[in-house]
Structures are given as C-alpha cells and as structure tokens.
Amino acid sequence: MSGPDTSILTYRQALAALGLPGPVDHETTRQAFLRAVKSARPDHPAGDAERFREVIAAWHVIQAEGPARPALAPPLRRTAPLPTLSIDPMLAVNGGPVTTRHRGRTFRLTLPAGLRAGEHVRLKGAGRDDSDLFLALRIRAADGLSVLGDDLFMQADVSPRVLQDGGRVEVLTHAGPRNAWVVAGLEPPVRLRLKGLGLPARGRHGQGHLFITLTPAEEAPSAAEHLLDRFARGWTTPRLAA
C-alpha cells in the first residue's frame, strides 16, 4: 500500500504526520520532526523510505504554512512602580503628621503608631477619576536607626575593655538611656536585645525589640566614666551647670 501523496499535504495533515494533534510551539514541533525522521530513515533496519519522504514533506509544509515566529521576542513591558510613602523609624514608632505630594496635590496625613513596612496608607481622592490611592509604606533608615519587621536596629560604641572584661554599658536609645550588662570574653560583633523597645504592637503584629550592635571604640567612655558622668549630672546645681 502506497503512502499519501506528499505533494498535497495540508498543514493539519503535516502536523499529524509528525504525531502532533495540533499546532504547538516551534521547539516542540522541531523535536517531533527529529524523532519522526530518525525512526523513518531508510538506512535503519526499521526505516521506511516512503515514510521518510512524508516526514520531510510534512516539515516543509509546516515551515511554509505554520504560524509565523517573530524574529525577536517582544520587549517585556515594565509595570509602573507602585507609589510609596517613605517615613523614618521614629515616625513608625510614634506615629504623627506627615505631608506628601501626588499628581501636583499636597496631602496631609496623621499616621498611627506602629506602622510596618509594606502596609498601605490611603490618600482619599488621589487616584484617577477621584478614586482613592493606596501608598505602600517604606521605612528608611535614619538617625542611626533601621527597621526590619517588628524590630529596630542600631549601633553603639563601647570601650574594648568592657567587651574584654565585662561590665555595665549605658546606651542612649530613642527611648532614652538604657543600661545592659556585658559578660567577659565576648568576641565582636556583640549584639544586645532590649525587649519591648521596637515597633509598638499593632493589629496582628506583636511588640518589637531593639537590637544594639556594640562596636569597640577606644574613645568610647568606660562604665566607670558613665557612672561619674551621671553622678556629676545629678549633683551639679543649675547655677554651676550654667
């Protein structure tokens, strides 16, 4: 029985000749052609010359009549960045008024305490057709403080002797001076955690903490110098202080 007349193969017949149920991408079609032509090669024991000619003809039909492939992939469309509102860590901790501009308009907002990065702030009527616009919140590092999740992070200089021998350190934090005890023999970097001095609890977020990285610095005051300084501040009269 002779095979079909390869000169009148339609596009659908050509796909079927390669074992494809319908149009597919170029690479899948090419792989189907390679498999079919390999199995039909006349010099193979199971080859078939007529089948080989059919596969070759099918490939030519597909190449000529198949869907055109673009020479270059279309450029990726970059989505416009979402509008953001940038605040500093202290505004995230305490909340308060903030001013922002959008599309030539000025908006004054009062932010609640404990906002987290990624939350959204609504600008009423700031979108197109006077719809509301939601700004993604970004908390930038400022004044030595940075925010990650619920927690605040800062660095503080400390005398190398304190890290070597241990002792009390006083760190000036955003919530005022705080004392901590350092055990002897710690290798830098040394990080302290002051519980409850991070972002305040809000919604599903719990109370954050303050993490302080102690950096050895020769000019940093020792624990004894801290005590002397506090004693002097406490006992100096306003007249002498002046």
Side-chain angles (χ1 to χ4, degrees):
M1 181 178 178
S2 61
D5 184 352
T6 57
S7 63
I8 57 173
L9 281 176
T10 66
Y11 178 64
R12 289 286 178 177
Q13 288 173 334
L15 292 174
L18 301 186
L20 297 172
V24 292
D25 61 86
H26 173 75
E27 182 59 26
T28 302
T29 305
R30 190 179 73 87
Q31 292 296 330
F33 165 71
L34 292 177
R35 288 192 299 268
V37 79
K38 181 178 179 180
S39 63
R41 282 178 56 178
D43 56 338
H44 282 190
D48 184 317
E50 188 64 30
R51 167 67 177 156
F52 184 78
R53 287 193 293 271
E54 178 188 17
V55 170
I56 297 296
W59 178 248
H60 288 312
V61 169
I62 292 172
Q63 289 288 89
E65 301 184 20
R69 292 186 294 122
L72 296 174
L76 296 177
R77 297 184 61 184
R78 296 183 178 180
T79 57
L82 295 176
T84 61
L85 176 64
S86 179
I87 64 174
D88 60 50
M90 291 309 300
L91 192 55
V93 170
N94 300 318
V98 64
T99 301
T100 184
R101 289 184 59 81
H102 185 72
R103 298 177 65 188
R105 296 173 57 188
T106 300
F107 296 86
R108 294 175 176 84
L109 309 171
T110 300
L111 303 182
L115 284 173
R116 265 66 172 178
E119 293 187 312
H120 290 81
V121 177
R122 183 178 65 173
L123 296 185
K124 293 184 178 180
R128 294 181 179 178
D129 302 324
D130 295 327
S131 60
D132 292 345
L133 180 68
F134 291 86
L135 305 180
L137 195 69
R138 185 174 71 90
I139 306 176
R140 66 181 185 277
D143 300 324
L145 279 177
S146 59
V147 177
L148 180 60
D150 302 331
D151 302 318
L152 296 176
F153 295 83
M154 63 172 289
Q155 291 186 348
D157 291 339
V158 64
S159 170
R161 185 182 294 269
V162 174
L163 295 181
Q164 179 181 349
D165 301 335
R168 187 188 61 82
V169 294
E170 184 180 79
V171 180
L172 184 60
T173 74
H174 65 284
R178 291 293 188 273
N179 294 320
W181 189 266
V182 178
V183 299
L186 294 178
E187 293 291 334
V190 177
R191 177 176 286 180
L192 304 177
R193 184 185 71 162
L194 300 186
K195 297 178 65 176
L197 289 186
L199 295 181
R202 181 174 181 271
R204 60 184 179 84
H205 297 280
Q207 178 72 45
H209 309 299
L210 172 63
F211 291 88
I212 305 171
T213 300
L214 299 180
T215 303
E218 293 292 343
E219 64 274 12
S222 64
E225 290 171 325
H226 268 304
L227 286 174
L228 182 60
D229 181 62
R230 294 186 66 185
F231 177 83
R233 290 199 307 266
W235 283 92
T236 300
T237 64
R239 178 174 297 179
L240 291 177

